[in-house]
Amino acid sequence: MKSKSPGWQRLVVANLAPLAVLAAAAVGNNSFPDRYLLALQEDRFAEWLTFWSFAVAAICFAVAAIRCWRHQTRWVWFLVGMALFCTFVAGEEISWGQRLFGFQSPEYFLEENFQQEVNLHNLVSTGWRKLALKLIIFGFGVALPLVMTLRPIRQLLERWGVLSPPWELIPSFLAMLWLYQTYPWRFSGEVVELMLGLSILLAALSMWIR
């Protein structure tokens, strides 16, 4: 009888990094609150790890798009779109290098952005930002892998160039939805962003390899 252990191994490995972040946040909030809060401040560990996760994911999606285009295996709009999305999020995460390079915010951002930084997501109301993030997490990380299990739909979407993250990552995306909905700790949103960055990076690596 064929062993199913490799499937469980893939499941564990795929979710190891995102769920490790969740576990570390839970332990840090309860046992080391000062260090937990410090790690989630701007220009600290969590923000930069989130930035690099999305930045490297953007590179992986771009390389995958180039490989597909060269081999003419499928349309590349989806991979290009994911590369642009990850580039945008990485830039927004560090306010496009404003604190790094020390340039002044234009007057519009000083007036309209409550953080007075050069980023677009803080121009949108909190409710709409939360809704958008939930839709991204659920749509990309849960709904898409599930519909891809239906062969006719998978064949149609792949013919259109749509690729799915591994279904093994669904537990991590569900954990993000739970954390973002319940918001049990301060800065839970930053923890979700880091988990999302790591999960999308894993999805990008998977698509690159495929």
Side-chain angles (χ1 to χ4, degrees):
M1 188 174 183
K2 190 175 181 179
S3 174
K4 295 184 179 180
S5 58
W8 286 107
Q9 291 173 5
R10 289 194 300 270
L11 186 66
V12 171
V13 171
N15 293 280
L16 189 60
L19 295 185
V21 170
L22 178 62
V27 173
N29 178 75
N30 293 325
S31 302
F32 310 100
D34 293 338
R35 294 183 180 179
Y36 166 78
L37 293 176
L38 182 62
L40 293 171
Q41 297 298 315
E42 290 185 343
D43 296 324
R44 295 291 182 172
F45 173 78
E47 183 178 79
W48 279 105
L49 185 54
T50 302
F51 164 79
W52 283 112
S53 296
F54 279 104
V56 175
I59 296 172
C60 293
F61 281 122
V63 172
I66 292 171
R67 292 177 63 181
C68 286
W69 176 72
R70 285 179 175 176
H71 293 85
Q72 297 181 345
T73 54
R74 55 172 60 89
W75 296 349
V76 298
W77 67 270
F78 181 80
L79 293 170
V80 171
M82 289 300 302
L84 293 175
F85 168 78
C86 290
T87 300
F88 174 77
V89 175
E92 288 283 292
E93 186 67 21
I94 59 171
S95 297
W96 301 98
Q98 180 177 15
R99 294 184 300 277
L100 184 64
F101 300 109
F103 60 86
Q104 180 67 29
S105 299
E107 184 177 349
Y108 176 78
F109 289 94
L110 291 175
E111 294 177 353
E112 302 296 334
N113 189 323
F114 72 91
Q115 288 188 335
Q116 297 186 321
E117 296 179 342
V118 182
N119 56 55
L120 298 177
H121 67 276
N122 284 325
L123 298 175
V124 182
S125 66
T126 301
W128 283 109
R129 289 204 312 271
K130 288 184 175 181
L131 177 61
L133 185 56
K134 289 177 183 178
L135 290 175
I136 290 170
I137 293 172
F138 178 77
F140 180 76
V142 180
L144 184 56
L146 287 178
V147 300
M148 282 291 200
T149 61
L150 303 174
R151 186 174 179 180
I153 297 179
R154 182 179 71 251
Q155 291 176 339
L156 177 62
L157 291 178
E158 289 183 345
R159 193 177 304 122
W160 289 346
V162 177
L163 296 177
S164 168
W167 67 266
E168 288 92 345
L169 282 171
I170 289 178
S172 289
F173 283 99
L174 289 176
M176 291 176 225
L177 288 173
W178 168 81
L179 181 61
Y180 206 49
Q181 181 64 35
T182 60
Y183 225 89
W185 321 303
R186 290 182 61 188
F187 298 111
S188 291
E190 279 68 24
V191 178
V192 170
E193 290 174 4
L194 177 52
M195 293 175 65
L196 179 61
L198 291 171
S199 298
I200 289 183
L201 174 56
L202 291 168
L205 290 171
S206 172
M207 294 180 190
W208 183 1
I209 293 172
R210 282 188 293 176

